[in-house]
Amino acid sequence: MMSRNSNPGKRTKTVFSMAILLLFFGSWVQAAQISVKTDHSPVAVDETFQLIFTVDGEPDGTPDFSPLEKDFEVLGTSQSRNISIVNGKASRTTRYLVNVLPRRSGELTVPSVNFGKDVSPVLKLRVQDATTGKTPAAASGDAVFMEVSVDENEPWVQQQVILTVRIYSRIQWKEASLSDPQFRGGEVLVQKLGDDRRYQKQRDGQSWQVIERRYALFPQKSGELSMDPLSLNLRIPAGRKQQRSPFGSFNDPFFDDFFSSRSYRNKVVRSKSLSLKVRPIPADFHGKRWLVARDVRLEESWSDAPEDLKTGEPVTRTLAIVADGVTLGQLPELTLPRIQGLRIYPDDPVNKEQATDKGILSTSSRKFAIIPTHPGEYQLPAVELKWWNSAVGKEQTVRLEPRKLKVTGAVQNMPLPAPASPVANPLAPSPQQVQQTSESNRPALTVASPVAGNGVNTWLIAGNVVLAVLWLFTLVLYLRARKAVVPAVLPEEHGKNVPDMGRAWRQLHQAIQSGDAAEVRSALLELAPGLWPEQTPRSLEAMAERVDAPLSDALLNLSRHLYADSRVSWDAEVIESGMKTIRPHGDQGKYQPDKPVLKPLYPDSGYQG
């Protein structure tokens, strides 16, 4: 009994501590009380305001504000907490501040927000129009508005459309930002044109400061397209300045702001929405490749007069396409066909895309080094391109007339060139080509069939026969000598840029098995240098011109699927089986002594066993 009551003070402290804990616990486990209100009233459709959710007690869970998105645009959230003890009773209050912007005027409802199992009450409020019911502090909000317009409401697919945005203001603001154009109903490529223009304009008897911004739009799909309203977020003065300087006003914005106290409020100015009715490719367009522009020109220049050339001496021909209202990705690739008696070496294209206030101006030029190997007269074929003039609404053709070359001099014993890239007649350029601006995916221009030179006479043919016989005799002697001598040094590889064909064929097979169209395209272009080491095709369209049907059709369908219409089907089996039938131009195998030569799983440009 003595031990049980030996420390009554300690027992009293324990009971008191438990009571305090029960007090706190009992106050926090009570159901949370939630209320909601706005930070000011009235509110306007073009003004942001705060919804304040006050939670007394511990809520059952975190709030879900997604129901607010129906009638309000949620711009951000924050929270604060406060714990207090009054007369031994603990209370906990949490405030959630939600910045919102009304989506429309009229009677709006702030719906219930779930805090776990706890629910906030419904709040009804009236949102006024932007031009009525404003307080004096908000009256300056009428001094900012925005206009949007387009130069063409019914463009053709892939036609350039100029979008003009003008912001009118009679006040100075802070921290302004303009949203980018967003479209519904189809993909639209958007590119900003140059710098913003600033000027003054008289309107309704008042002087306005105007900021003008322009965009180039390229709709990639026919049908109805709608642009969402643009949003201008800015901070505008909420009232008059209160001067703090003992010297009065300086009539200078910097010093007046420094020596004055002014509050600012957030404001959102919205434009109207726009609609475009995009027309499909017209039925009376006869070109094999769709190209719509305001103007297209073909230009050429020569380093020397083509009427006075000598064998073995190079001459450079430069071709250029200049297109107004077209991106680089829409321009075709410049090529020249093979002509017997001429060696033609193309340089890489030189491309330039210029954004002006009137639109996109694209230029693609390419140099071709031409070396005559035989004397005589030659004719380079005409270069022509069919395009759709958006200004007059009809098909037009731009053309460079055939060019005659006169060559003098002796025959040059130069190896004949590999067949140059035939003239491609691809389909419409892809949206991806417009966004990526890739020269490797461009189509070739339409070129007429070449006319070979007529200067090769009888004695020249006889001389060539003699040279061929001598060359064969030398080759026989070389092969006999090679059998008796083992080379001490490995020969150099024939093609420095030739890929590992075994690996390239395996990549194509894996891509075909996966059904990934983009991977199949990459694998095909990886194979191209090994199959066509000279004048390598750099696009599916150019590759299709090197082969026969049905492989050519399958390659074009793959290109359509990737760049024009994903609904177009393509045949993977035809592509793989057709590619295996192609024989490489030249032996691209590597010298590997003391190794057995195995037949590869897929066609290779090396040894076939």
Side-chain angles (χ1 to χ4, degrees):
M1 296 294 296
M2 292 294 296
S3 60
R4 186 181 293 179
N5 298 322
S6 60
N7 196 352
K10 183 176 180 180
R11 182 184 301 173
T12 303
K13 291 180 180 180
T14 301
V15 173
F16 179 77
S17 299
M18 292 178 63
I20 293 295
L21 290 175
L22 289 174
L23 178 64
F24 275 88
F25 180 77
S27 63
W28 284 349
V29 297
Q30 295 177 357
Q33 300 295 320
I34 304 175
S35 61
V36 58
K37 64 178 183 179
T38 61
D39 64 336
H40 69 270
S41 181
V43 296
V45 70
D46 60 343
E47 296 177 0
T48 62
F49 65 95
Q50 286 186 338
L51 291 173
I52 303 174
F53 293 83
T54 303
V55 183
D56 294 326
E58 183 69 20
D60 181 66
T62 57
D64 177 15
F65 295 118
S66 59
L68 301 177
E69 293 286 353
K70 179 181 179 181
D71 290 327
F72 303 91
E73 182 179 349
V74 178
L75 304 177
T77 61
S78 62
Q79 69 178 41
S80 62
R81 294 181 180 180
N82 180 52
I83 299 178
S84 61
I85 301 177
V86 179
N87 296 327
K89 183 177 180 180
S91 63
R92 176 173 181 169
T93 302
T94 305
R95 299 177 75 223
Y96 294 88
L97 308 179
V98 184
N99 294 318
V100 296
L101 178 70
R103 298 187 183 274
R104 57 185 177 85
S105 59
E107 294 288 342
L108 299 185
T109 299
V110 178
S112 298
V113 173
N114 293 327
F115 293 71
K117 295 181 180 180
D118 296 322
V119 180
S120 68
V122 174
L123 174 66
K124 293 186 178 296
L125 56 90
R126 180 171 182 80
V127 177
Q128 299 175 340
D129 294 331
T131 58
T132 60
K134 294 188 176 180
T135 61
S140 60
D142 296 334
V144 181
F145 67 93
M146 183 165 40
E147 290 182 345
V148 293
S149 61
V150 291
D151 65 343
E152 180 61 61
N153 290 304
E154 296 185 3
W156 282 278
V157 63
Q158 296 183 345
Q159 177 185 341
Q160 175 183 264
V161 178
I162 303 300
L163 168 65
T164 303
V165 182
R166 296 184 180 92
I167 302 171
Y168 292 80
S169 172
R170 291 188 289 111
I171 61 173
Q172 291 186 356
W173 62 66
K174 298 171 57 176
E175 304 171 9
S177 64
L178 180 65
S179 63
D180 292 328
Q182 300 291 332
F183 287 84
R184 302 175 185 272
E187 181 181 5
V188 178
L189 302 180
V190 181
Q191 184 167 346
K192 185 176 178 292
L193 297 176
D195 298 327
D196 296 340
R197 293 181 56 211
R198 297 174 182 267
Y199 54 91
Q200 290 187 347
K201 185 175 182 179
Q202 293 292 324
R203 184 163 179 168
D204 298 330
Q206 295 180 333
S207 179
W208 294 83
Q209 297 289 334
V210 182
I211 298 178
E212 182 177 295
R213 177 175 294 184
R214 289 192 168 196
Y215 298 89
L217 311 177
F218 296 90
Q220 300 299 307
K221 182 181 178 181
S222 61
E224 294 285 346
L225 296 178
S226 61
M227 186 189 77
D228 294 337
L230 300 181
S231 297
L232 175 66
N233 294 270
L234 68 163
R235 292 175 59 81
I236 63 175
R240 293 179 176 270
K241 298 180 180 178
Q242 297 179 355
Q243 298 291 337
R244 296 182 300 175
S245 171
F247 306 104
S249 175
F250 291 93
N251 292 323
D252 182 90
F254 173 77
F255 285 100
D256 285 348
D257 281 341
F258 184 79
F259 288 107
S260 66
S261 174
R262 167 171 283 181
S263 60
Y264 287 82
R265 64 183 177 87
N266 294 328
K267 181 177 178 63
V268 177
V269 178
R270 284 197 176 96
S271 72
K272 66 177 182 180
S273 60
L274 287 177
S275 296
L276 297 177
K277 186 178 181 180
V278 183
R279 291 178 282 183
I281 299 175
D284 52 347
F285 178 72
H286 303 95
K288 295 184 178 181
R289 186 84 180 191
W290 171 246
L291 178 65
V292 56
R294 284 197 300 238
D295 184 54
V296 177
R297 302 194 310 273
L298 283 177
E299 300 174 352
E300 71 168 334
S301 62
W302 291 82
S303 61
D304 294 299
E307 298 84 5
D308 186 18
L309 303 180
K310 297 184 182 299
T311 57
E313 296 183 4
V315 63
T316 301
R317 185 192 193 190
T318 303
L319 296 178
I321 308 175
V322 182
D324 187 4
V326 176
T327 64
L328 278 176
Q330 295 172 278
L331 291 182
E333 180 180 319
L334 292 161
T335 63
L336 288 181
R338 175 183 178 235
I339 298 179
Q340 186 176 2
L342 301 177
R343 295 211 66 180
I344 301 176
Y345 301 93
D347 287 349
D348 291 333
V350 177
N351 302 306
K352 180 181 178 182
E353 186 176 274
Q354 183 180 3
T356 68
D357 58 347
K358 295 182 180 180
I360 302 296
L361 182 66
S362 296
T363 303
S364 179
S365 63
R366 195 174 193 183
K367 295 181 181 294
F368 298 85
I370 303 174
I371 304 177
T373 60
H374 294 75
E377 291 188 359
Y378 300 86
Q379 180 169 291
L380 296 180
V383 180
E384 65 179 29
L385 175 65
K386 293 183 183 297
W387 62 286
W388 188 263
N389 190 325
S390 60
V392 299
K394 66 178 182 179
E395 178 187 296
Q396 293 185 346
T397 301
V398 60
R399 174 184 173 91
L400 292 176
E401 296 300 327
R403 178 69 67 175
K404 289 185 177 181
L405 278 64
K406 293 183 179 180
V407 182
T408 60
V411 176
Q412 300 295 311
N413 295 323
M414 303 175 64
L416 293 177
S421 175
V423 180
N425 297 318
L427 300 170
S430 66
Q432 285 79 359
Q433 284 175 308
V434 175
Q435 260 177 344
Q436 299 171 356
T437 319
S438 170
E439 295 98 17
S440 63
N441 292 331
R442 294 190 185 155
L445 289 178
T446 302
V447 184
S449 299
V451 179
N454 56 5
V456 182
N457 49 31
T458 305
W459 69 265
L460 187 58
I461 297 176
N464 287 337
V465 172
V466 173
L467 289 175
V469 172
L470 292 175
W471 181 82
L472 290 174
F473 179 73
T474 304
L475 179 61
V476 171
L477 293 179
Y478 168 75
L479 293 176
R480 288 183 178 180
R482 186 181 180 187
K483 291 182 178 179
V485 180
V486 178
V489 181
L490 291 177
E492 293 183 358
E493 296 178 6
H494 296 288
K496 294 182 180 180
N497 297 325
V498 174
D500 183 344
M501 295 299 288
R503 181 179 62 84
W505 282 111
R506 287 191 293 272
Q507 288 180 348
L508 176 61
H509 180 70
Q510 293 171 0
I512 291 292
Q513 294 297 317
S514 66
D516 190 320
E519 292 294 333
V520 172
R521 174 190 173 276
S522 299
L524 289 171
L525 296 181
E526 183 75 17
L527 278 170
L531 299 176
W532 297 279
E534 294 190 32
Q535 301 292 331
T536 301
R538 295 180 296 172
S539 66
L540 294 175
E541 292 85 357
M543 189 179 296
E545 291 296 325
R546 306 287 184 92
V547 299
D548 298 326
L551 177 57
S552 59
D553 296 335
L555 293 174
L556 292 177
N557 285 337
L558 176 60
S559 179
R560 291 193 195 101
H561 175 84
L562 285 170
Y563 302 127
D565 188 350
S566 60
R567 295 171 298 181
V568 175
S569 60
W570 55 283
D571 197 324
E573 294 183 0
V574 170
I575 291 177
E576 184 173 22
S577 59
M579 292 299 293
K580 290 180 181 180
T581 63
I582 300 175
R583 303 302 301 175
H585 290 69
D587 181 15
Q588 304 299 330
K590 299 181 180 180
Y591 185 81
Q592 296 180 346
D594 302 329
K595 277 192 176 182
V597 180
L598 300 179
K599 183 176 292 187
L601 293 176
Y602 309 103
D604 200 339
S605 58
Y607 300 104
Q608 298 298 316

